[in-house]
Amino acid sequence: MTAVVALTGATGFIGRAVLGLLLDRGYSVRALTRKTGTLARHPRLTEVCGHLENQAALNELITDADSVVHLAGAIAGRNFADFARVNVVGTGRLVHALEQRNPGARLIFISSLAAREPALSDYAASKRDAENLVATSLLDWFILRPPAVYGPKDQALAALWKMLARGWLLRAGPGQARFSLIHIDDLSRAIDHLLGLPWLGQRTRCLDDGRPDGYSWADVADIAEQVSGRRVRVVALPRWGLHLLSLASQGGSRLRRRPAILGPGKVRELTHIDWVCDSRLCDVVPDWTPRQTLRSALPELPGWRQ
């Protein structure tokens, strides 16, 4: 029989990539979507109309599923309550549905490396609280904390890659900061590998592209120079500049009546000195290895090709 995977967050950047790979791998997928018809039709794809606040939709989503991949989350909010409504309360509802209706299903929760530093922002605190709900459940769970995820279909970072291709890098953080990265294809493959394991063992792990000690901003500039053959100038954006941008972003969000992604908490995240993964996936999934690094992926990123 074909294994059934229930998927939240299927319409997002990561979700669409994971969905495509799972279908290619032969899984039957039930995807939670706010409106049916959002995703391309496929004979092994079923859309469940609803959201994390709809318990009936969650029950339909997870009933008889072999595994659940939980990707849905709020990345913008005015305060902790905005983030918690989806990241904490929504995750709690999903956990409750599984405990009540399908306790034997495997839950893979895609959290964020930000959860390692919950004091930095409301977003980070909400992701840590969501992890705690999963970790204290009676389910067969696995928590995966990816760092910054990028890929060719992510338009959110297109402006950054375009500037880099033209020889400019806007440094949004201290010069000594280091950070890990993961390509969307490698993250999707890791999730596929986790689904194929006979037992996960209730663990929390980070994954990255295998670069020791991650990247510095200078590393990113050097890699861009090697790929493009053009000198890259690094322009430091001071913390006060980020604060001004966050104020402008919040003002614009109030006019649009939408929460801003760039707020004080996000500024603290951007200026944090250490976003290097502190654990690896190899002890759990020894046959998974990342295939993409920033250098190999850069020519395919949006905005790089003029």
Side-chain angles (χ1 to χ4, degrees):
M1 294 179 62
T2 301
V4 176
V5 178
L7 179 64
T8 72
T11 59
F13 163 56
I14 298 175
R16 287 181 183 273
V18 171
L19 173 62
L21 180 59
L22 294 182
L23 292 173
D24 288 345
R25 293 279 291 149
Y27 290 100
S28 288
V29 180
R30 260 187 237 138
L32 186 68
T33 57
R34 288 185 174 270
K35 184 172 66 173
T36 56
T38 307
L39 302 170
R41 291 184 179 181
H42 191 283
R44 280 183 280 100
L45 171 63
T46 302
E47 291 186 56
V48 176
C49 186
H51 45 77
L52 293 177
E53 297 177 18
N54 186 330
Q55 196 68 53
L58 291 179
N59 292 341
E60 180 183 352
L61 177 75
I62 60 92
T63 298
D64 298 327
D66 298 286
S67 301
V68 178
V69 178
H70 180 32
L71 281 163
I75 60 173
R78 291 175 289 270
N79 49 44
F80 179 77
D82 283 350
F83 290 105
R85 190 174 299 114
V86 176
N87 296 346
V88 184
V89 179
T91 298
R93 286 196 179 99
L94 180 63
V95 168
H96 177 75
L98 283 166
E99 289 179 329
Q100 295 298 311
R101 291 177 174 264
N102 194 358
R106 170 179 299 167
L107 173 61
I108 299 176
F109 176 35
I110 310 304
S111 181
S112 168
L113 189 59
R116 192 176 72 189
E117 301 291 344
L120 285 179
S121 67
D122 289 333
Y123 168 73
S126 71
K127 297 303 280 189
R128 173 63 75 85
D129 285 355
E131 288 186 359
N132 290 338
L133 286 174
V134 172
T136 55
S137 73
L138 301 177
L139 302 172
D140 176 12
W141 55 265
F142 191 95
I143 296 171
L144 196 57
R145 289 177 173 175
V149 183
Y150 69 99
K153 294 184 179 180
D154 181 20
Q155 294 298 321
L157 294 178
L160 170 65
W161 309 128
K162 187 174 183 178
M163 286 185 62
L164 201 55
R166 292 181 174 181
W168 296 95
L169 175 60
L170 192 62
R171 194 189 79 205
Q176 66 270 37
R178 301 197 69 86
F179 45 88
S180 294
L181 298 172
I182 187 72
H183 192 278
I184 182 61
D185 290 349
D186 286 328
L187 174 57
S188 300
R189 287 177 47 251
I191 294 170
D192 174 46
H193 277 63
L194 288 169
L195 287 170
L197 290 177
W199 172 250
L200 297 180
Q202 299 180 328
R203 305 182 195 182
T204 299
R205 289 291 185 275
C206 175
L207 79 170
D208 61 17
D209 64 4
R211 183 180 175 96
D213 299 321
Y215 297 83
S216 67
W217 291 100
D219 292 334
V220 174
D222 289 342
I223 290 168
E225 288 182 352
Q226 294 166 20
V227 174
S228 67
R230 172 184 293 179
R231 181 187 174 192
V232 174
R233 296 171 174 82
V234 180
V235 178
L237 184 60
R239 192 182 184 108
W240 61 263
L242 284 171
H243 279 296
L244 288 178
L245 287 175
S246 74
L247 290 174
S249 177
Q250 291 174 84
S253 72
R254 282 192 288 270
L255 292 176
R256 296 189 303 270
R257 295 183 179 179
R258 290 183 178 180
I261 293 179
L262 183 62
K266 183 58 66 175
V267 170
R268 289 191 292 273
E269 289 179 29
L270 288 171
T271 54
H272 186 60
I273 198 170
D274 178 18
W275 287 122
V276 177
C277 284
D278 57 1
S279 63
R280 296 294 185 267
L281 202 60
C282 58
D283 65 326
V284 180
V285 192
D287 57 344
W288 175 85
T289 54
R291 296 174 181 173
Q292 292 275 23
T293 63
L294 183 60
R295 178 168 182 167
S296 65
L298 200 52
E300 299 178 357
L301 297 182
W304 181 264
R305 293 289 185 186
Q306 304 302 313

